[in-house]
Amino acid sequence: MDKDDKQDHGGDDDHGQGQGQGHGQGDDHGGGHDKTTTIFVNTREKTVEGKEVSYDQIVRLAFATPPSGENIEITVAYRNGPGPDGTLLPGTTKKVKDGMIFDVTATDKS
């Protein structure tokens, strides 16, 4: 039985995020950087740590390998967040809340 318990426990540890998520969810009173927030990036559920996300972070969540090139422009629009809907620009950050939605599109300006 101990061997089975270890295997089950080991499977949980393999994800790496399980401990941080559990700790952040149980701690409603404190340490901002441990808090996790569930957001949606191009309709896919993602979990982020902290109270803000950066443009680069959202692009990495949207694309395993972000498109690149001198004519590629990536637009990050958001809604259902704190404050009015808008667009996240390169080099900027945005406060997040649970259920916030990000739509990331890449276009070729050529």
Side-chain angles (χ1 to χ4, degrees):
M1 287 223 163
D2 288 337
K3 185 176 180 181
D4 289 339
D5 290 340
K6 280 186 177 182
Q7 288 175 344
D8 289 342
H9 182 68
D12 290 341
D13 286 346
D14 289 343
H15 298 316
Q17 295 180 7
Q19 292 177 0
Q21 289 174 347
H23 178 70
Q25 290 172 353
D27 184 12
D28 290 337
H29 298 291
H33 72 278
D34 287 338
K35 183 183 182 317
T36 59
T37 304
T38 300
I39 62 172
F40 294 88
V41 179
N42 290 352
T43 71
R44 293 187 180 106
E45 186 175 306
K46 304 288 184 177
T47 302
V48 295
E49 291 187 18
K51 297 177 182 180
E52 291 186 342
V53 293
S54 69
Y55 170 91
D56 290 335
Q57 183 179 7
I58 295 297
V59 170
R60 284 191 307 269
L61 289 171
F63 302 109
T65 304
S68 62
E70 66 181 55
N71 292 326
I72 299 295
E73 185 172 298
I74 299 176
T75 303
V76 177
Y78 58 84
R79 63 184 190 277
N80 297 342
D85 297 352
T87 303
L88 188 59
L89 300 174
T92 63
T93 61
K94 176 68 181 161
K95 289 186 180 184
V96 292
K97 72 173 194 176
D98 280 323
M100 191 169 180
I101 298 169
F102 292 86
D103 295 311
V104 185
T105 55
T107 55
D108 188 340
K109 298 186 296 184
S110 62

